[in-house]
Amino acid sequence: MNNKLAELRTKKYMTQKELAKALNTNDRTLGAWERGKRTPRPAQMQKIEDYFGVPKEEIFFGAFSYSK
């Protein structure tokens, strides 16, 4: 799954640990989200959207891409 989470985090000059703390999660979970190994739950996606001011569909476009 592709996503822009790492890109948004680095644009704010944040470490994974700093962003994880802001989102009330841990850096291992955040790393898995950034690598596309795991997908955040809807409530977590909403927190990320609110934090960055970017629609979750834009951040996690791979999770919202459906092919027939």
Side-chain angles (χ1 to χ4, degrees), residues 24-61:
N24 199 28
T25 190
N26 63 61
D27 56 325
R28 295 183 87 189
T29 299
L30 184 70
W33 293 344
E34 287 185 353
R35 291 187 309 278
K37 298 290 183 185
R38 296 183 67 196
T39 303
R41 292 184 176 158
Q44 293 165 316
M45 282 188 184
Q46 188 61 53
K47 275 187 183 179
I48 294 165
E49 176 179 324
D50 294 344
Y51 188 83
F52 288 109
V54 176
K56 58 187 163 281
E57 294 84 3
E58 188 177 321
I59 299 169
F60 297 101
F61 54 89

Side-chain angles (χ1 to χ4, degrees), residues 6-20:
E7 178 184 331
L8 291 168
R9 177 181 56 78
T10 55
K11 281 184 180 179
K12 284 197 171 246
Y13 302 101
M14 297 181 81
T15 65
Q16 283 183 339
K17 212 168 242 196
E18 291 169 332
L19 181 56

